[in-house]
DNA sequence: GTGCATGCAAATCTTTTGCACTCTT
DNA sequence: AAGAGTGCAAAAGATTTGCATGCAC
């Protein structure tokens, strides 16, 4: 399992420790790379597992660290707990930030190339700095369409 | 004040009552059309005002209704309370959904024409339905750049 | 008058924090 | 051995709900 190694490598690089909790959260995220999970769902998965263990609070702490390291991305669905999804591909290709999110099954699908680069360049010329962007397209995926 | 009339009109159209609370929240949103406010900030504004009144819980209930009616939009900033901003312009031009949001002062600025229409059409051909989208560009605005 | 909307209190849900203890390094 | 990380409990913050009362229609 290449991706878990990637997690370990990046943790080491940042002088962060490789612990049971961090490996547990990483494993769940890797196993469910197609769907963003809430901290609670991740915690439940870990509890159901025989060989993984992590406290619920540590799930939050771990996700926060993974987010800072760019290993996961955080998705906010309106009126719900935040959802996290692994952001390194199994081919170590760069993370693509733009997704379609299904309102019903929470399935997430990459959308293609970024279409905001021009907009950001224009803003930078005007004096805007530290630009980040987030594009969200939501709706019902083909499987959830009745 | 044209916009308040628009709020009243749309409430009436949906057989919802025109109440003190709803008018108070609408007024604050209209007065602060350039900045999205949290429910608490809206509540504080109302409390500071002499002639407006609304309970804090009713601010939440009212915002939820206004959102359903398309009168306001909800912005989620990571790790913070949701922010709401009026989504009808003073010229009754259609609401433009894409903004730059300043991380520091929460100033919000429209970005220009929508660049996702093509993407949405492509998805619809594939069987996706009920599509909505939300684009967020964040960073520091010129005023907040040191 | 009818019943939608409100105010208040309390519950709920998510996330964060404090602190003593544990385990990685 | 040092101190980063954890587990537990409890706090904090945002939002929702229940219910009796009030107000728009």
């Amino acid at each position: 399992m290449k991706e878990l190694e990637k997690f370990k490598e990046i943790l080491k690089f940042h002088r962060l420790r490789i612990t049971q909790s961090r490996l547990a959260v990483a494993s769940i995220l890797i196993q469910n790379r197609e769907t963003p999970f809430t901290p609670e769902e991740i915690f439940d998965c870990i509890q159901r597992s025989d060989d993984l263990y992590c406290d619920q609070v540590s799930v939050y702490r771990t996700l926060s660290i993974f987010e800072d390291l760019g290993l996961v991305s955080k998705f906010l669905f309106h009126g719900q707990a935040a959802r996290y999804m692994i952001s390194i591909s199994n081919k170590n290709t760069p993370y693509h930030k733009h997704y379609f999110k299904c309102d019903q099954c929470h399935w997430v699908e990459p959308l293609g190339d970024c279409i905001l680069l021009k907009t950001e360049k224009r803003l930078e010329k005007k004096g805007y700095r530290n630009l980040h962007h987030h594009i969200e397209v939501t709706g019902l995926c083909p499987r959830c369409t009745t």
Side-chain angles (χ1 to χ4, degrees), chain A:
Chain A
M1 179 155 290
K2 252 192 274 181
E3 290 151 302
L4 198 54
E5 295 311 312
K6 184 82 181 171
F7 272 84
K8 287 186 190 171
E9 183 191 305
I10 291 180
L11 284 170
K12 265 186 196 162
F13 180 78
H14 289 273
R15 311 269 156 79
L16 294 166
R17 293 179 180 172
I18 293 161
T19 64
Q20 189 182 210
S21 303
R22 287 167 185 175
L23 292 177
V25 173
S27 301
I28 298 301
L29 291 168
I30 290 166
Q31 279 167 41
N32 299 281
R33 62 160 36 261
E34 72 286 348
T35 308
F37 276 13
T38 62
E40 189 163 20
E41 285 164 350
I42 293 166
F43 177 63
D44 288 346
C45 286
I46 291 170
Q47 293 227 294
R48 264 184 258 111
S49 161
D50 290 331
D51 37 52
L52 299 179
Y53 179 79
C54 181
D55 185 74
Q56 185 156 21
V57 173
S58 289
V59 172
Y60 280 97
R61 288 196 265 230
T62 298
L63 288 170
S64 171
I65 287 166
F66 285 177
E67 198 196 0
D68 291 343
L69 298 177
L71 292 167
V72 302
S73 7
K74 187 177 187 176
F75 291 86
L76 297 175
F77 285 81
H78 279 199
Q80 295 177 40
R83 290 178 176 274
Y84 294 83
M85 194 174 67
I86 187 172
S87 64
I88 49 172
S89 81
N90 40 18
K91 290 161 192 143
N92 284 339
T93 50
Y95 166 49
H96 197 288
K97 271 181 191 148
H98 311 318
Y99 293 94
F100 164 85
K101 308 192 298 186
C102 179
D103 290 325
Q104 200 163 108
C105 69
H106 299 128
W107 183 53
V108 164
E109 176 180 317
L111 278 183
D113 288 335
C114 179
I115 51 183
L116 269 182
L117 297 177
K118 266 187 284 183
T119 306
E120 288 204 339
K121 276 186 190 138
R122 197 168 61 238
L123 289 173
E124 281 188 338
K125 274 188 198 148
K126 288 198 212 161
Y128 293 76
R129 292 290 176 266
N130 293 24
L131 293 177
H132 293 279
H133 63 268
H134 182 69
I135 297 181
E136 251 175 45
V137 182
T138 56
L140 294 175
C141 72
R143 281 181 293 183
C144 289
T145 309
T146 42

